[in-house]
Amino acid sequence: MKKKSKAVLESAGWIDSHCHFDFPDFDLDRDQEWQLAQQQGICGLIIPGISRQQGQGLAALCQPRPWLYALGLHPYFLSQHQQTDLDWLDAALHQARGSDDGLVAVGEFGLDFRKHTSDAERRAQLELFDAQLQLAKQHRLPVILHGVGAHDQIAAAIRRTGFAHGGVVHAFNGSEQQARRYLDLGFKLGLGGLYLSDRALKLQRTVDALPVDSWLLETDAPDMTPRMWPQRRNSPRLIPLLADHLAQAKGISTAELQSLQRDSLTSLLIL
Ligand SMILES: [Zn+2]
């Protein structure tokens, strides 16, 4: 593991494993919000990549802070991605391997079959997905996956390509069977604000059924704001609340949960 990742993982506190802290939503008060988050015990972030244009700014944004990042082409923005963006991604991953700027994964990429429903769109998503999985394999990096209505297709692709570097399926809300299949493939499952909703009974049952170290805490801020949150904008400050709920559901202390979270991230982020 590289120095920067190691330093972030070894600091005391929580890590928000999926936070879009680079989004314009935070432009006016990013430093202030980060300070508040640190006061709540957050010690690091992982900021996912969503496009070439956005990804190009991440290394510089994360450099002076305990923030790690990933680069990827998000399926939600399918129409924006160009074929040459895959070449850019390949070159950027190659370059990051030789430096210590905090790149830890490929992503977020995946399949979103609720956003894109035509056969042509789904085929285009699958091609982009396969290509990024191959890049992650080549560069020996874990992945941050976005899956909506497509967990069976995602798991099939992971098997088909023999991808073995693991990663996290962020904001997981599939079935228990789909969850177990991901765990068997060496993945963790991202757990965020949805878990705090009274109506998320399926997710709560899945959390109850699986070992506590199956889950990585994340906010997906600024999105996925739970109803009880006082602001419209979600924040990494939500993590301690999520941790309280998960620790309580699993009958362990938050200190134990924190060290399990750290172990899980350490095992994934080999860089
Ligand atoms: Zn995301």
Side-chain angles (χ1 to χ4, degrees), residues 18 20 48 108 170 220:
H18 193 113
H20 296 281
E108 66 180 289
H170 116 86
D220 207 15

Side-chain angles (χ1 to χ4, degrees), residues 9 20 29 44 72 79 90 94 105 148 151 153 170 178 258 270:
L9 288 175
H20 296 281
D29 63 347
S79 60
D90 189 14
H94 187 78
V148 177
H151 290 306
Q153 290 86 345
H170 116 86
Q178 288 167 333
Q258 196 169 91
I270 45 153

Side-chain angles (χ1 to χ4, degrees), residues 38-207:
Q38 284 178 299
Q39 285 162 16
Q40 301 286 314
I42 316 300
C43 66
L45 306 176
I46 299 178
I47 302 183
I50 57 163
S51 69
R52 175 180 186 163
Q53 200 198 11
Q54 171 263 5
Q56 281 169 333
L58 284 182
L61 180 76
C62 294
Q63 196 268 329
R65 305 173 170 105
W67 302 348
L68 306 171
Y69 74 97
L71 294 174
L73 306 171
H74 196 297
Y76 205 80
F77 308 103
L78 184 66
S79 60
Q80 290 175 28
H81 304 316
Q82 311 287 321
Q83 191 61 36
T84 52
D85 291 353
L86 285 166
D87 302 328
W88 160 76
L89 183 58
D90 189 14
L93 294 172
H94 187 78
Q95 196 188 0
R97 268 198 89 74
S99 74
D100 187 18
D101 65 358
L103 178 113
V104 291
V106 183
E108 66 180 289
F109 68 97
L111 300 173
D112 193 320
F113 282 0
R114 209 163 298 162
K115 163 86 173 163
H116 295 110
T117 50
S118 78
D119 281 353
E121 281 172 331
R122 288 186 174 187
R123 224 173 305 123
Q125 277 201 52
L126 269 164
E127 268 174 39
L128 192 63
F129 177 79
D130 277 355
Q132 291 182 86
L133 202 57
Q134 289 294 352
L135 282 179
K137 193 177 170 185
Q138 269 168 40
H139 291 276
R140 301 168 168 272
L141 285 165
V143 293
I144 297 171
L145 297 182
H146 169 103
V148 177
H151 290 306
D152 295 340
Q153 290 86 345
I154 289 175
I158 294 168
R159 277 216 196 96
R160 191 173 62 237
T161 51
F163 178 77
H165 301 289
V168 57
V169 182
H170 116 86
F172 180 78
N173 190 27
S175 70
E176 184 188 330
Q177 191 198 358
Q178 288 167 333
R180 289 192 187 278
R181 202 164 43 198
Y182 282 130
L183 296 175
D184 288 344
L185 289 165
F187 279 74
K188 301 285 181 189
L189 308 166
L191 187 69
L194 184 65
Y195 182 51
L196 301 176
S197 163
D198 296 338
R199 294 179 302 171
L201 295 175
K202 182 181 75 171
L203 179 60
Q204 281 156 13
R205 276 198 303 269
T206 313
V207 171

